[in-house]
Structure formats: C-alpha cells, structure tokens
Amino acid sequence: MTLRLPRDSAAVRPKSWQLLPMRFHRFDANNILLTNLVGEHVFLLEEQFLAILDGNCGDQKLLANLRAKHLIQLPAEQLPTELLAIKLRTRLSRLPNSTGLHIFVVTLRCEHTCRYCQVSRQSSAKSEYDMSEDTAIRALQLAFRSPSRTLKLEFQGGEPLLNFPLVQWIVARAKQINESHGKRLAFVIATNLALLDDEILDFCAREDIYLSTSIDGPEDLHNSNRRRPGQDSWQRTADGIRSVQNRLGRDRISALMTTTEASLCRPHDIIDTYADLGLRDVFLRPISPYGFAVRQRGGAGYDVQRWLEFYQAGLDHIIDLNRRGVPMVETYAAIIAKKMFTNDDPGYVDLTSPAGIGLGALVYNYDGDIYASDEGRMLAEMGDHTFRLGNVQSSSYADIMLSEQLLQPLEQSLTLSAPMCSTCAFEPYCGADPVFHHATMSDFVGQKTMSAFCQRNMGVFTAILRRAREDSFVRELFWRWGQR
Amino acid sequence: MPADRARAIITFDTETIQLDALQRAVYAVADLMTVDITESGKKYVCTLFPRISTTDSDVLAHRLRSEVIDQTLRLRIAAETEPLRNLIFAIAFSQTGLNDAETPQP
C-alpha cells in the first residue's frame, strides 16, 4: 500500500523562505533571469520575481523550482547552503593548482606574413629571434615549480617548426625532469603546418604530441589573411591537417580561426570548410583589438554588434548541422555551456575570475622574458610591457607569481568586487580580462558599460540562453557540449 | 561638459532611495549619460548630461529611473542575503587542507 502525503503538507507558506545570494538581469521585455552564486538559473516574470522578494508568492511549482536551483531555502534548512558551498568550491578547485599552461615561444621567425600578426619576424637571422637551450632549460625549471599536477607545454612562434630542434630538445628535457616530479605532461605545437614533414609527424607520433593550427575559412579568405610566398597557405594547412588526421588520429589536430572584417559575411563558408576538413570543433573568435590587427589593413575594422551577428549566424548554422546529423561544436559556446549547465569550470583563461593571466598560463618569450599571457606578449611587441613579469635568467618563481605586475591586475579585476560585475547575473559565466581592458581602456577593470569585452560576452550569453530556452534540441545539444 | 548641454533634471527622495543605489545606477548608465548629483533638502537632484546631444531627455530620465529601481532591488537582495553569502564562502573555503591545523590528529 502506498501512503501519499496530502499535497498541501509540503506547501511553502508565504514569507516562510529565505533568499539565497542571487543576481538578476532583465533578459527581455517580459522575463527576468535569476542566477545563484554558481550560475544555476531560472527565468521569471517580473511579478513572480517581486512576489519572491516580497515573500508573498503562492505558486508552489515555482517555489519548488527555486528551492531546487538554490535560489531560496526554508529557515530550518542547512543543506542548500552546504551544497552551494560545495558547488562553489568545485568551480574554484583549479585555483590551488595553477599554472597549467606554459607557452614556449621558441622563435619569432615565420614564413607567413599574416595581416593581423604583430609578433612574427621575416627573413631574420636565426640567432636573433630563436630561443636558446639555456633560456629553455630555465623556463622549464620555472614551469616545473608550478603546483599544477598537469603541465601542458605549448610551442608557439612565429612558426615553431622553424626551430624544430629546440622543440625536440625541450620535449626530451621535460620528460627527463618529470621523472622526479611525476606530473601529467602534455605537449602542443601551435603551427601553420606549412613545414610539416614525415620527420615531424614521426616525432609527434612517438612523443604523443598534439597539434593546433589556424584555418580562417575557405581558401580565398584564408590566403587573404594569411600570406606566404606562393599564396598557398590554405593548401599547405589543409594537406597538413589530413596528414595529421591520417597518421596520428582525428583528435590530435585542432584548428582556430580569426574573424577579420572579410569573415563577417561568410560564417557558413567558414564552418563548412571546417566540416569538409574533418574538423569537429570551430572556435568563432573575434580578432584581438590591439597590435597590428587594428591597423587599417589588419582586419579588425568591425564593432561588437557586427561580430555578434556573425557569431549568431555561425552558431545557428552549427546547430543546423547537428540537427542534420553532422557533429560540430562551437568551442566558445561549449566553454560557456559547461559554466551554465554544470558545476564544473573549464578554466578557460579569458573567462575566469581571478583572471587567467599568470594563474592559467605563463609565456616564456624567445629572449627569456616572461609574460602573464600571450596577449601580454603581443602588447609588449607594441611597446607596452605592463604584463612582463620578469626574465628566466634573473627571476625566481616567487618573483614572478608575487610580482606587482601580476597581483595588481588580478586583484583589481576580480569580478566578485568589480563595479557592475559583482551584481551582474552573468558573473558566474564570465571572467576578468585585465589585459583586454588595459589595452582598450587603459585600466585593468574597465568601464563595463563601454567595454567591448562585456558587450560581446553578454551578447553571447544571451544568445546561448535564448536558444536553449526556446528549443529542446538546442538545450540538449548545449548540455552535451557542457559535459565534454 | 558645458552646462547648456544638460537635458534633464530629475529628483529622488532621500528617504526612499539610497545614495549608494543612485550612484550605482549612474555608473550603470555611463554609456548614455553622465550625471551630476547634489543634495537639496530631502531630495537628490540629478542633472543629466547626454553623451550624444540629440538623445531624447525623456528616454534618459526613464533609463536612469528604472536603473535606480533595479539597483535598489540589488542592494535589498544583497543586504538580505549577506549572512548566508558569508556562510557559503566560509564553508567553501574551510577545510582546504592548506592549514596544518586542519589536519586531523591521530
């Protein structure tokens, strides 16, 4: 025999609940988005929201939903508070394990002259812009001081394959050093693949190395952005992607694109190019708004609104591909989906608070200078050394991690205390980007109402939530992306 | 900005609106206008200076008023939830294993 409690026995009486920490955002003309400390969310009508605040809501279904999402609790309850604390701690669990990503700029030399790149050097003497073994070993020693149990060493340039012997040397030394540390090591070469050959493929296969490349879209668009002698950048990269997929496996190569003004009207072409190349992730990235990119021909001549239109058209095309059975992921949406629909945090350096600079990544430049992020290195190429933390020859690990150049921007830009961020409903999904705001507003925090970072991310959060809310297929798709 | 570009003056009752909420609201509309706040008797007097001189002053006034209401609600929520917020953070960052004193004694 089943005993059933009368429905009213579990009813929450008016004025009997406590509000848990929450933030709200007027999502559209009718709906208010309510988020808790860790990003769990509901949509409410304004009258429902005010009734919750005033304690006179009688809608038991709504009250049950708000209790389930840890937005309200009953006075005698302790579990919601404890669960919220556990979820909060889970989201911040990466913090004690900094720094996981160490970027080695093994050379500034490059055979490409990409219109938006400010760091590469053409026809330069090898010794002038290549990292030395002495610099590399000192950088490795610093990297192994990081508490993180996982170290990802990424080789960048310029074109790192122009200094392939040093890449081989660093991989061998890192593995040797790790014999006494026992960390999980991963290696990535960020390369345009133009110089890929069998020797390099053999090495990557043997040493379990991942490759990351750049494809800006279809051949004409890519070659217009990424110039090299012979105008064959796209073909070389496409051939390289296929070689890696065939030799090492589909999951060992990923690609990034950079959105220039010429990309804005071609989101479908760009995504279809990725699909044709057998790539299952596309990262619809805006161009960094500083350095050579903001020159007249640098490709950054568009505003946030135009990029958001491009992004949403691209996202809708990717959703449509998935509807038709073609698996494709938009990487930025997947990062955000993890923050929106799970209790985990992917640790993406642009969307974390404290900011990802230094804590998420350290960059060792060819000359031994250490930067808090790759964008910090780019700023230095333009003469702004704000994010230079030291040099491998003279700085200890403590010098770097306790430097004012790192701590000041980290402390000032914390979203839990920054004006407008601290009360923003999107705060659990967003992050601090002191490099961007320093570069565009000469301030680590930035005035958020005029911040392109803020406008762009609020636009993306809104686009994702709206689509997930209106379409159960999309909701399920984003949820799966978040579980990756 | 010259005073003759002031497009509107609106007032708020000092007994119903906190200065903190008003200042937060002014910050949140800074892309549209700058605002001069003075206190006169039991009123906060806000003089609105549009960033674009052609912006309708009624639109600016409505925007500021609704932002003040939202910021007032935010302050109210923050005050009401502050003890629980502190408790959640205290629980989240306790027993981290970083402090030797936390280690259970055999």
Side-chain angles (χ1 to χ4, degrees):
Chain A
M1 180 180 158
T2 304
L3 292 174
R4 292 186 187 280
L5 288 170
R7 184 177 292 273
D8 287 349
S9 67
V12 178
R13 286 175 289 104
K15 298 194 184 294
S16 69
W17 59 84
Q18 293 176 311
L19 301 180
L20 286 164
M22 62 172 74
R23 304 176 179 103
F24 71 92
H25 170 75
R26 293 188 184 278
F27 193 75
D28 55 31
N30 299 316
N31 292 285
I32 287 176
L33 170 71
L34 209 55
T35 60
N36 71 7
L37 268 181
V38 294
E40 291 164 314
H41 58 272
V42 296
F43 288 94
L44 300 177
L45 299 172
E46 174 145 9
E47 55 267 31
Q48 292 175 315
F49 175 53
L50 294 176
I52 293 297
L53 295 191
D54 291 340
N56 54 23
C57 174
D59 182 341
Q60 294 300 319
K61 194 175 169 187
L62 174 61
L63 290 167
N65 191 24
L66 293 171
R67 288 175 70 191
K69 294 285 176 64
H70 301 325
L71 287 155
I72 62 170
Q73 70 174 12
L74 302 186
E77 290 179 324
Q78 290 182 347
L79 193 60
T81 308
E82 291 172 3
L83 285 173
L84 266 177
I86 291 167
K87 291 174 181 179
L88 184 65
R89 190 161 154 169
T90 302
R91 290 179 79 94
L92 297 172
S93 60
R94 288 171 189 271
L95 271 181
N97 293 316
S98 61
T99 305
L101 175 62
H102 297 264
I103 296 173
F104 288 68
V105 181
V106 293
T107 181
L108 283 193
R109 292 183 295 130
C110 188
E111 24 62 76
H112 274 65
T113 47
C114 301
R115 61 196 301 181
Y116 40 65
C117 176
Q118 57 264 44
V119 296
S120 66
R121 297 288 185 279
Q122 284 283 303
S123 62
S124 305
K126 186 174 180 336
S127 58
E128 196 177 354
Y129 291 115
D130 279 12
M131 182 180 274
S132 68
E133 289 183 1
D134 180 54
T135 297
I137 190 66
R138 289 174 186 272
L140 273 175
Q141 287 161 352
L142 289 170
F144 273 92
R145 286 293 313 278
S146 302
S148 176
R149 298 300 306 154
T150 300
L151 292 187
K152 181 188 280 186
L153 306 189
E154 182 170 309
F155 303 104
Q156 285 198 14
E159 169 48 52
L161 295 183
L162 283 170
N163 196 5
F164 183 58
L166 187 72
V167 173
Q168 294 173 295
W169 189 88
I170 292 173
V171 170
R173 291 306 300 266
K175 290 189 172 182
Q176 187 183 22
I177 294 169
N178 198 40
E179 286 172 10
S180 59
H181 285 80
K183 294 178 186 282
R184 287 187 296 275
L185 280 186
F187 301 96
V188 179
I189 302 177
T191 167
N192 59 43
L193 296 175
L195 305 173
L196 189 72
D197 60 20
D198 285 341
E199 183 199 354
I200 294 167
L201 278 172
D202 288 344
F203 174 75
C204 292
R206 192 171 61 245
E207 303 293 345
D208 200 21
I209 288 172
Y210 286 74
L211 292 117
S212 170
T213 193
S214 298
I215 278 276
D216 281 357
E219 187 165 3
D220 63 306
L221 175 61
H222 178 95
N223 285 345
S224 157
N225 287 342
R226 302 178 62 82
R227 296 163 189 168
R228 75 181 306 280
Q231 283 297 299
D232 61 351
S233 173
W234 189 90
Q235 194 58 55
R236 282 174 177 261
T237 307
D239 291 346
I241 289 171
R242 292 188 187 102
S243 296
V244 175
Q245 288 169 336
N246 292 336
R247 176 71 198 278
L248 306 178
R250 188 180 287 272
D251 67 326
R252 294 282 287 278
I253 176 87
S254 61
L256 293 172
M257 59 83 59
T258 299
T259 309
T260 58
E261 197 165 8
S263 317
L264 294 176
C265 58
R266 304 182 67 180
H268 292 208
D269 291 346
I270 292 166
I271 292 157
D272 291 345
T273 301
Y274 272 66
D276 291 345
L277 288 169
L279 298 165
R280 291 182 177 167
D281 290 66
V282 57
F283 196 155
L284 299 173
R285 292 191 315 162
I287 202 164
S288 299
Y290 31 87
F292 284 8
V294 293
R295 297 179 310 180
Q296 192 175 6
R297 299 182 68 248
Y302 56 86
D303 60 18
V304 174
Q305 195 52 42
R306 288 181 69 199
W307 181 82
L308 279 171
E309 287 165 11
F310 162 81
Y311 179 83
Q312 292 185 75
L315 185 60
D316 286 338
H317 186 55
I318 290 170
I319 290 167
D320 195 42
L321 285 176
N322 280 277
R323 245 188 257 279
R324 289 189 274 132
V326 180
M328 179 67 76
V329 176
E330 201 290 302
T331 307
Y332 201 56
I335 290 165
I336 292 164
K338 186 176 278 296
K339 292 164 80 83
M340 277 182 179
F341 305 118
T342 80
N343 291 312
D344 198 2
D345 189 297
Y348 178 63
V349 292
D350 290 357
L351 286 180
T352 59
S353 178
I357 57 168
L359 302 179
L362 284 169
V363 181
Y364 309 97
N365 207 5
Y366 73 99
D367 58 1
D369 280 350
I370 304 162
Y371 292 97
S373 73
D374 206 27
E375 289 76 14
R377 169 177 73 116
M378 291 177 191
L379 278 182
E381 290 294 332
M382 309 305 294
D384 180 346
H385 297 275
T386 304
F387 297 95
R388 179 184 175 277
L389 306 182
N391 188 283
V392 298
Q393 302 291 346
S394 54
S395 306
S396 69
Y397 183 72
D399 290 339
I400 298 163
M401 299 309 287
L402 299 176
S403 64
E404 286 299 303
Q405 289 94 326
L406 181 58
L407 295 183
Q408 281 292 333
L410 284 176
E411 185 181 335
Q412 288 182 31
S413 65
L414 278 173
T415 56
L416 284 174
S417 56
M420 287 185 71
C421 296
S422 62
T423 54
C424 178
F426 295 127
E427 190 275 340
Y429 316 137
C430 200
D433 195 338
V435 183
F436 182 96
H437 288 109
H438 169 78
T440 56
M441 304 178 107
S442 301
D443 179 61
F444 294 139
V445 183
Q447 219 294 355
K448 301 304 179 192
T449 62
M450 291 176 271
S451 158
F453 175 89
C454 183
Q455 291 162 15
R456 170 162 48 86
N457 282 310
M458 285 185 72
V460 174
F461 301 146
T462 303
I464 291 171
L465 283 170
R466 178 167 292 133
R467 282 160 179 76
R469 189 159 183 251
E470 291 173 352
D471 186 328
S472 59
F473 174 84
V474 177
R475 186 161 57 248
E476 172 70 17
L477 180 69
F478 288 169
W479 187 85
R480 286 203 310 273
W481 290 1
Q483 301 297 319
R484 297 200 314 166
Chain B
M1 190 174 285
D4 59 6
R5 283 187 64 186
R7 288 304 180 95
I9 294 175
I10 56 175
T11 60
F12 295 93
D13 190 331
T14 57
E15 291 184 0
T16 54
I17 299 296
Q18 294 179 52
L19 182 58
D20 191 8
L22 184 53
Q23 288 172 328
R24 286 167 185 258
V26 166
Y27 188 88
V29 297
D31 55 332
L32 297 173
M33 66 188 106
T34 55
V35 180
D36 182 42
I37 305 171
T38 56
E39 194 171 346
S40 174
K42 290 187 174 178
K43 297 284 182 192
Y44 293 120
V45 180
C46 297
T47 310
L48 282 46
F49 297 90
R51 287 197 183 270
I52 299 170
S53 58
T54 52
T55 310
D56 187 331
S57 58
D58 284 346
V59 171
L60 295 180
H62 283 307
R63 181 77 178 83
L64 181 60
R65 280 196 203 97
S66 32
E67 193 61 44
V68 168
I69 296 297
D70 280 359
Q71 296 296 341
T72 300
L73 284 176
R74 289 193 173 99
L75 285 177
R76 181 178 150 195
I77 292 168
E80 204 169 325
T81 61
E82 188 180 8
L84 281 172
R85 187 174 186 271
N86 291 339
L87 177 62
I88 291 163
F89 274 85
I91 296 171
F93 294 112
S94 64
Q95 299 293 321
T96 59
L98 295 172
N99 186 344
D100 291 342
E102 293 173 6
T103 308
Q105 298 303 310

